[in-house]
Amino acid sequence: MGSKLYTKEHRIRFSECDPAGIVFYPQYFVMFNNLMEQWVDTMIPGGFNGLIAKHKIGMPTVHLEANFRSISQMGDDVTLSLGVKKIGSRSLHLHLQCVGHDGVLRMEVNQVIVTTSLITHQAAPVPEFLREPMQAFLLPQVAATADSCQA
Ligand SMILES: CC(C)(COP(=O)(O)OP(=O)(O)OC[C@H]1O[C@@H](n2cnc3c(N)ncnc32)[C@H](O)[C@@H]1OP(=O)(O)O)[C@@H](O)C(=O)NCCC(=O)NCCSC(=O)c1ccc(O)cc1
């Protein structure tokens, strides 16, 4: 067990911004979804694609809450991070943050994902091959500044 964060550096791109050059808010969710897929890529042979195509396991979101703290602009270098608040029997509770290289928190998310069978589209137990490596990313406590997280 540990309290590692999974992190990736990211430069805010033109395609992620509105005409004012500020990140259009749904783009954060795309950035975080890519981060989650890259995280899963590190855990199993075949990565996220293998999870879907071979194991027939989906990871749909059932709960998502976000706080936007300060703007990100085109060209900004940010760090995207992912930590695990809880691994349930069929759910994963994640805390994700986007922090500028200036140290300023731009945006953060609390997200609950359910592992599902892509055959039945019903919830299925978190497979051991994900549960075990995910333990290393369990947060000791929620340092989230998201005010209202109940998830
Ligand atoms: C995922 C579901 C089949 C789960 O069905 P439920 O009846 O809720 O399952 P359960 O009641 O058994 O709950 C399963 C667990 O989830 C937890 N859960 C379920 N809903 C919630 C909410 N809203 N908040 C917190 N926790 C929840 C619940 O507490 C259980 O936790 P454990 O104790 O750890 O087992 C159903 O909720 C559903 O189909 N929801 C729609 C999901 C969806 O369409 N999301 C939108 C985006 S889809 C998407 O992004 C995607 C990504 C990747 C993919 O491969 C597929 C789809």
Side-chain angles (χ1 to χ4, degrees):
M1 239 184 245
S3 55
K4 271 196 296 184
L5 289 177
Y6 181 75
T7 63
K8 281 278 178 200
E9 301 308 312
H10 181 74
R11 177 163 293 170
I12 303 296
R13 297 295 175 184
F14 179 87
S15 62
E16 294 166 334
C17 296
D18 67 10
I22 294 165
V23 169
F24 179 48
Y25 74 93
Q27 295 294 345
Y28 282 113
F29 302 120
V30 177
M31 288 177 214
F32 284 146
N33 194 68
N34 288 337
L35 186 72
M36 189 275 289
E37 287 195 20
Q38 289 169 307
W39 180 54
V40 171
D41 282 347
T42 67
M43 292 175 197
I44 54 168
F48 191 81
N49 180 59
L51 188 71
I52 302 286
K54 180 176 169 214
H55 297 283
K56 309 284 185 222
I57 292 171
M59 295 179 69
T61 297
V62 291
H63 178 87
L64 188 62
E65 60 181 49
N67 281 303
F68 300 87
R69 301 291 186 183
S70 58
I71 61 168
S72 294
Q73 294 178 287
M74 187 168 61
D76 283 358
D77 288 316
V78 297
T79 302
L80 304 173
S81 69
L82 179 159
V84 179
K85 290 167 61 184
K86 180 182 158 190
I87 307 175
S89 55
R90 291 155 300 169
S91 67
L92 303 168
H93 298 235
L94 306 181
H95 182 66
L96 302 119
Q97 288 189 319
C98 173
V99 178
H101 283 190
D102 54 6
V104 175
L105 175 64
R106 308 294 173 82
M107 191 269 188
E108 64 183 338
V109 156
N110 286 301
Q111 180 178 24
V112 182
I113 289 171
V114 172
T115 44
T116 61
S117 156
L118 289 177
I119 311 294
T120 63
H121 296 288
Q122 299 302 306
V126 177
E128 202 50 44
F129 59 76
L130 290 181
R131 181 182 295 278
E132 198 276 329
M134 284 177 177
Q135 309 264 345
F137 297 88
L138 275 170
L139 297 167
Q141 58 176 23
V142 182
T145 51
D147 302 318
S148 59
C149 178
Q150 302 297 316

